[in-house]
Amino acid sequence: MSKRKKIAIFGSGAGSNAEQIISYFKNNELAQVWGVVCNKKQAGILKVAANNNVERVVINSDFKCGEQELLEVLKDAQVDFIVLAGFLRKIPLSLTRAYENRILNIHPSLLPKHGGKGMYGKHVHQAVFDAKEHQSGITIHFVNEEYDEGAIIFQASVDLDANDSPETIEEKVRLLEKKHFPQQIEKTIRNGV
Ligand code: GRF
């Protein structure tokens, strides 16, 4: 069996996506989750990492972890692929260049609608609700220097109706995330890391 690819998950929130991805790759022969990178000491995603015995790296706003640059840590650990799951900081050029076409993000709307700076979490579902959209969904895309503008690799949609609220929209979208994100990560790694 060739060496399993190493995935680092970047997140700033509860870590529900991270939990699904870690368990999906637990016995996967292609890849494994090396660890979690987070910019918030108290975020739930760090507890998810601890509960699953994967590395935890807390970074500051300059992407430094302790005295080291995050890129050094990822290279020393031979991380092959980065997955953003609710990570609320812009990825610096140093990382997007070092990991070109090897960083995936999931956005909880059908981009290009309701994307861009400041559009994350509940703000997205509120915007979809306010726009009276008949559909919402998820977009999985490569990450480049601009927010939510990398090449889209996958989208899945769900119908909305007059009974929906921003909260029910979020519930419907999270079901799509759970169903599709881990497989799309595996497919992307299989196709070409
Ligand atoms: C998810 O809704 C994801 O689509 C977005 O950020 C949220 C992360 O949630 N990128 P969690 O931290 O994985 O629970």
Side-chain angles (χ1 to χ4, degrees):
M1 180 170 79
S2 60
K3 193 166 87 62
R4 294 167 77 190
K5 299 292 184 188
K6 286 184 182 176
I7 300 166
I9 301 175
F10 288 25
S12 311
S16 65
N17 279 278
E19 192 145 44
Q20 287 142 23
I21 296 163
I22 291 169
S23 54
Y24 182 90
F25 285 98
K26 253 205 184 13
N27 302 311
N28 183 288
E29 60 182 32
L30 177 73
Q32 61 187 324
V33 173
W34 162 79
V36 160
V37 174
C38 182
N39 60 314
K40 290 190 174 157
K41 281 196 285 292
Q42 304 308 324
I45 193 171
L46 290 170
K47 295 181 185 63
V48 167
N51 295 340
N52 288 278
N53 302 312
V54 300
E55 294 296 323
R56 278 165 284 152
V57 179
V58 178
I59 58 167
N60 65 15
S61 52
D62 297 328
F63 281 74
K64 288 191 187 306
C65 30
E67 283 316 303
Q68 269 196 306
E69 296 275 347
L70 176 60
L71 183 55
E72 261 177 66
V73 171
L74 296 174
K75 287 192 167 177
D76 289 351
Q78 298 180 315
V79 167
D80 302 287
F81 204 83
I82 294 172
V83 170
L84 308 187
F87 189 64
L88 299 183
R89 300 206 59 81
K90 200 163 185 298
I91 303 299
L93 221 42
S94 60
L95 272 174
T96 53
R97 287 201 173 136
Y99 283 90
E100 192 172 0
N101 285 335
R102 293 192 292 156
I103 308 179
L104 279 185
N105 181 46
I106 186 165
H107 183 78
S109 76
L110 296 169
L111 291 176
K113 285 189 171 186
H114 312 298
K117 193 166 169 40
M119 290 307 283
Y120 60 88
K122 299 196 181 323
H123 301 295
V124 176
H125 308 301
Q126 185 65 53
V128 167
F129 175 78
D130 295 344
K132 297 183 172 38
E133 302 284 3
H134 296 296
Q135 279 194 321
S136 190
I138 57 170
T139 302
I140 299 171
H141 61 92
F142 283 115
V143 171
N144 61 19
E145 293 85 75
E146 299 307 324
Y147 268 114
D148 297 334
E149 287 186 10
I152 291 175
I153 66 154
F154 180 81
Q155 289 191 304
S157 63
V158 62
D159 290 337
L160 305 177
D161 60 37
N163 302 318
D164 273 305
S165 65
E167 291 69 29
T168 60
I169 294 171
E170 176 167 12
E171 281 164 28
K172 289 181 174 180
V173 169
R174 280 189 179 275
L175 287 176
L176 292 176
E177 294 174 351
K178 182 173 184 167
K179 181 176 177 192
H180 296 290
F181 200 16
Q183 283 104 327
Q184 290 302 319
I185 294 166
E186 183 180 31
K187 200 172 134 197
T188 306
I189 294 176
R190 193 180 302 285
N191 290 345
V193 170

